Amino acid sequence: MVSVRLTLPLILTLGAALLGGLQEASAAPPMPADQTASVNVAVVVGRTFALVCDQTVTTLVGSPGTIQTVDVSCLAISNYSSSPWKLKIQTDQALTDASTGETIPSANFTYTSTGGEGVHNNPPGSPVAFTTTPTTYYTAASNEKNNFSKGGTRITSTYRLVIPPTQAAGSYTATVTHILTVNL
Amino acid sequence: MKPTTARFWMALFAMTALLWAGLGGQALAAPPSDSTQTVSVTASVGTTFTLTCDKSAVTLTGNPSDTKSDTVICTAKSNYTPSPWLLKIKTNQALTDSSISESIPLANFLHSSTGGSGTRDDSSDTAFTTSDVTYYTAHASEKNNLPGGTAITSTLKVNIPNNQATGSYSATVTFTMTVTP
């Protein structure tokens, strides 16, 4: 009786262990956890920021006391959307005939502008004289900040020269510069 | 017979009887039966289930209207055979430049893949989504593909819209290896 009391629990324990072992050996392996790998993707879209005018040289021919005009059309293309671009304009000097030293007063050489959907500082009817420092004449509308798909924004400037009645004959020159910028 | 002789024979008989009984009464009668002992051996083979990609970053540089792409090779290794493994893919967002709050539409951010002998769902350009989408299901023969694994080459492509603002657009693409459909 002593030996029965001692071995029965042992037999039960061994049996349970064997059964458990058999079950474990025959079960499917545990499902593996998902594995991931990440790739950071950066797309750098290049900048288009260009200004092209249809004329690089223009000539106004007139007599004293007449008014002469010419249109210069500039195409501004941008995909820089952080801030609106602007067009500025300046002249390097008053119209001057270097051979005689004569000039046409700056007040007689003016400009206005049209086109686009933004703001013109000098629309038709409000001409302003050229200056020798850059002056904003057009500020792009918000939907023109990125105008790449629209083929850009075309702004036409009209240069207007009032030749003084007493102006000496000569060839007067100056260089007008149009600037596309996002700076104030 | 002398009494002494009789005691001798009686003693000898008794000893022989005791020896016979001690040997179990059979040892001398038949060969012994086999004696067996079993040893249960269990070899537990661990699960290998890994996904490794050859790049962790990709930069695509282009201008509006350009199409740019690059490849990422991900190698899946598995010895889990109850079910085939799958590869899924997603992006956390559309390609976005947070500094200017601009993005490239998901429809323009594409993936396709090659390699392996399983079933492919992105054999042609497929737009990314922000939820996991299966793009490759391992062939039965690839369930256990040790030691080399299965290399799947994914092409990540972006069609830059013709009016896309200049900027640096980013997103994180996640490849997932799983046995869960």
Side-chain angles (χ1 to χ4, degrees):
Chain A
M1 291 302 290
V2 171
S3 66
V4 169
R5 282 198 298 271
L6 289 175
T7 56
L8 184 56
L10 181 61
I11 291 171
L12 292 174
T13 302
L14 290 173
L18 179 61
L19 185 60
L22 289 174
Q23 287 178 336
E24 184 175 330
S26 61
M31 185 178 294
D34 293 354
Q35 302 295 306
T36 63
S38 294
V39 176
N40 294 318
V41 179
V43 175
V44 179
V45 177
R47 177 172 299 167
T48 297
F49 200 69
L51 181 66
V52 180
C53 298
D54 64 349
Q55 299 179 53
T56 57
V57 177
T58 188
T59 303
L60 298 166
V61 179
S63 302
T66 64
I67 297 174
Q68 304 297 325
T69 63
V70 64
D71 289 342
V72 176
S73 177
C74 294
L75 181 65
I77 303 175
S78 171
N79 69 344
Y80 181 77
S81 62
S82 297
S83 57
W85 48 266
K86 298 175 175 62
L87 289 178
K88 297 185 177 184
I89 197 167
Q90 73 178 120
T91 182
D92 64 328
Q93 62 180 16
L95 287 160
T96 302
D97 185 336
S99 66
T100 62
E102 295 280 344
T103 62
I104 298 175
S106 294
N108 290 45
F109 190 31
T110 62
Y111 65 91
T112 57
S113 62
T114 59
E117 301 172 63
V119 176
H120 289 271
N121 289 359
N122 309 105
S126 301
V128 65
F130 281 96
T131 60
T132 56
T133 56
T135 302
T136 298
Y137 69 95
Y138 181 77
T139 301
S142 180
N143 63 1
E144 291 176 326
K145 289 191 294 185
N146 179 359
N147 61 12
F148 197 90
S149 63
K150 295 189 286 191
T153 300
R154 184 169 294 280
I155 303 297
T156 298
S157 298
T158 299
Y159 301 173
R160 183 172 186 267
L161 175 63
V162 177
I163 303 175
T166 59
Q167 194 65 39
S171 180
Y172 300 81
T173 61
T175 299
V176 172
T177 302
H178 293 258
I179 302 169
L180 174 66
T181 180
V182 291
N183 296 319
L184 296 177
Chain B
M1 185 178 294
K2 292 180 181 178
T4 304
T5 302
R7 283 196 295 272
F8 169 78
W9 285 110
M10 289 177 63
L12 181 61
F13 177 79
M15 291 175 63
T16 302
L18 288 171
L19 180 61
W20 178 266
L23 293 174
Q26 60 181 352
L28 300 178
S33 60
D34 294 347
S35 175
T36 62
Q37 174 65 60
T38 61
V39 176
S40 177
V41 178
T42 300
S44 179
V45 178
T47 299
T48 295
F49 200 74
T50 61
L51 180 66
T52 307
C53 298
D54 67 340
K55 296 174 184 171
S56 60
V58 165
T59 299
L60 306 173
T61 302
N63 294 314
S65 299
D66 284 350
T67 294
K68 296 295 177 180
S69 65
D70 201 352
T71 57
V72 178
I73 302 173
C74 293
T75 301
K77 293 184 179 181
S78 172
N79 65 347
Y80 180 79
T81 58
S83 55
W85 48 267
L86 316 169
L87 291 180
K88 298 184 179 184
I89 196 168
K90 69 174 178 179
T91 180
N92 67 323
Q93 61 181 15
L95 288 157
T96 300
D97 185 333
S98 57
S99 68
I100 56 175
S101 300
E102 296 272 358
S103 63
I104 296 174
L106 279 175
N108 292 49
F109 189 25
L110 311 166
H111 63 90
S112 60
S113 66
T114 59
S117 48
T119 303
R120 188 179 319 287
D121 295 313
D122 68 343
S123 54
S124 60
D125 288 340
T126 304
F128 271 97
T129 61
T130 55
S131 56
D132 277 318
V133 174
T134 298
Y135 70 95
Y136 183 80
T137 302
H139 186 268
S141 63
E142 293 173 326
K143 289 192 290 186
N144 179 357
N145 60 13
L146 297 185
T150 300
I152 304 296
T153 300
S154 290
T155 298
L156 312 183
K157 179 185 292 183
V158 62
N159 291 328
I160 303 174
N162 64 2
N163 63 343
Q164 195 63 45
T166 183
S168 183
Y169 299 81
S170 60
T172 299
V173 170
T174 300
F175 297 86
T176 300
M177 179 185 184
T178 180
V179 292
T180 304

